[in-house]
Amino acid sequence: MSSRISLSRFLIEEQRLHGALPPDLRLLIETVARACKAIAHSVNKGALAGVLGDAGTGNVQGEAQKKLDVIANDILLEANEWGGNLGAMASEEMELPHSIPEHMPRGRYLLMFDPLDGSSNIDVNISVGTIFSVLEAPEGNTQPTEADFLQAGSHQVAAGYAVYGPQNMLVLTFGHGVYGFTLDRELGSWVLTHRNMTVPATTGEFAINMSNQRHWEAPVQRYVGELLAGKEGPLGKDYNMRWVASMVAEVHRIITRGGIFMYPKDARDPAKPGKLRLMYEGNPMAFIIEQAGGLATDGHRRIMDIVPQGLHERVAVFLGSKEEVARVTGYHQG
Ligand code: P6P
């Protein structure tokens, strides 16, 4: 019987066999994974734990917070304060970075997270998730400022997401491929179930919120029009469409069976390059998708080449199967 490989064993073997994982980064990942287990527990209990519905508060994005947004954020903050491997954390839910308390040990890493992505789906029982990204503070600075977070996504040393769905899964990369773990709820452990996850290079499936069509830029209008034209159109094949309104669920589907996910710039707010957040959604998902052989651009350039100007910077996102992402990027540059 093939022995089950736990997350801890996988991380130690990565560290020992491939030297791919410094011990303090391994400990950080284990801490985040443990926090995601606690979040999964609350999400899975739902109404039984009285955690559905609105918190009655708003976040820095001006969005109404769900109770579980706040719960998930608090779980991640508390879990990561004592480990000694972080200088600071930044959350999509909070305006400023969260410093490690003075009496706690500090380290060289910076952790960013979207504690509960897609939380508008919580009350209707559709998959949601946690997204996280890890950077190293410049010169290992253990008293980092907001400016220390403003590094291009190509500087990430690790990224991952947990998807809370029919299965609870954790998907990780450290720059040496993408690995998936499924939560064994009886044992409460993440078990390696998907080695070297790879995005199929071609696809017949696209994901976009069609209700925004009239607000898209011309290249997107043209590209989506050609997808919808199907076999009779210039692309010569029929496409299917999906939209879950939960980026984690979309990315997980795409990394599993291919696809292209798009959240384009919207003419309703010309000042904003897009809806999604570069640091908490764009960069970690771009790292994972690229490590799985896909592409991730803002329509013009590689998402991971963008140098952020602020913690909550937005970005247009086109990511997934490289044939389709290259095509839509070509339309922007044509
Ligand atoms: P819309 C969730 O709020 C999110 O940030 C992503 O997870 C998701 O892909 C997108 O926004 C959904 O946006 O405008 O379709 O509700």
Side-chain angles (χ1 to χ4, degrees):
M1 173 187 157
S2 66
S3 62
R4 290 155 51 116
I5 295 181
S6 68
L7 174 65
S8 300
R9 176 177 165 188
F10 173 81
L11 295 177
I12 287 169
E13 289 181 346
E14 275 294 294
Q15 179 184 328
R16 187 175 65 233
L17 299 178
H18 309 301
L21 202 56
D24 51 350
L25 180 56
R26 172 171 63 80
L27 287 171
L28 173 57
I29 298 301
E30 286 188 323
T31 301
V32 172
R34 204 163 32 248
C36 290
K37 266 197 294 192
I39 296 170
H41 178 74
S42 291
V43 167
N44 296 160
K45 283 190 77 84
L48 296 175
V51 294
L52 299 182
D54 290 345
T57 52
N59 65 14
V60 64
Q61 320 289 343
E63 298 160 339
Q65 288 178 304
K66 295 291 187 185
K67 286 178 191 167
L68 274 167
D69 281 319
V70 178
I71 291 167
N73 198 60
D74 290 346
I75 287 172
L76 282 158
L77 293 178
E78 286 154 19
N80 284 288
E81 281 187 336
W82 49 268
N85 33 50
L86 285 180
M89 295 178 250
S91 166
E92 182 190 289
E93 299 295 325
M94 302 185 307
E95 182 172 1
L96 299 172
H98 178 85
S99 298
I100 302 303
E102 283 307 316
H103 65 285
M104 291 285 188
R106 292 162 172 268
R108 57 185 166 143
Y109 294 113
L110 302 174
L111 177 66
M112 289 146 289
F113 48 80
D114 178 356
L116 205 63
D117 176 67
S119 56
S120 61
N121 286 319
I122 274 287
D123 299 344
V124 293
N125 200 14
I126 290 173
S127 301
V128 292
T130 299
I131 310 171
F132 69 91
S133 168
V134 183
L135 290 169
E136 206 167 336
E139 291 90 48
N141 175 7
T142 59
Q143 301 281 351
T145 63
E146 182 174 337
D148 292 321
F149 282 86
L150 303 184
Q151 303 177 41
S154 53
H155 291 202
Q156 291 174 100
V157 294
Y161 62 80
V163 52
Y164 312 119
Q167 303 96 45
N168 295 310
M169 278 196 71
L170 181 70
V171 173
L172 298 173
T173 187
F174 316 104
H176 304 274
V178 179
Y179 298 87
F181 302 81
T182 302
L183 184 61
D184 177 331
R185 299 188 194 191
E186 281 81 27
L187 289 179
S189 64
W190 293 109
V191 180
L192 180 65
T193 49
H194 297 67
R195 284 183 180 275
N196 288 316
M197 298 181 81
T198 306
V199 181
T202 63
T203 184
E205 201 161 62
F206 69 95
I208 195 166
N209 183 338
M210 284 299 292
S211 69
N212 298 328
Q213 185 177 21
R214 61 192 181 283
H215 305 303
W216 299 334
E217 297 176 305
V220 181
Q221 296 273 6
R222 178 180 155 213
Y223 174 62
V224 175
E226 292 183 4
L227 294 171
L228 293 170
K231 219 189 298 272
E232 293 72 34
L235 302 182
K237 68 178 185 179
D238 290 338
Y239 285 76
N240 196 4
M241 196 196 96
R242 288 285 181 274
W243 191 249
V244 185
S246 180
M247 187 185 194
V248 172
E250 313 275 10
V251 168
H252 192 73
R253 183 189 63 249
I254 287 167
I255 204 168
T256 304
R257 72 183 191 210
I260 179 169
F261 169 87
M262 297 175 272
Y263 211 108
K265 179 176 169 59
D266 188 318
R268 282 171 293 186
D269 196 337
K272 269 192 208 166
K275 170 184 180 182
L276 302 183
R277 272 63 58 157
L278 176 59
M279 305 292 284
Y280 312 101
E281 293 164 313
N283 276 336
M285 291 311 204
F287 191 15
I288 292 164
I289 287 291
E290 286 197 5
Q291 280 293 311
L295 293 177
T297 81
D298 67 354
H300 301 277
R301 51 195 166 153
R302 186 170 173 250
I303 284 179
M304 292 212 288
D305 288 341
I306 300 171
V307 179
Q309 301 310 305
L311 263 186
H312 300 290
E313 180 165 328
R314 310 278 182 142
V315 66
V317 177
F318 301 84
L319 62 76
S321 295
K322 60 184 174 187
E323 181 187 81
E324 287 305 332
V325 178
R327 195 198 311 274
V328 70
T329 304
Y331 287 9
H332 282 80
Q333 292 159 350

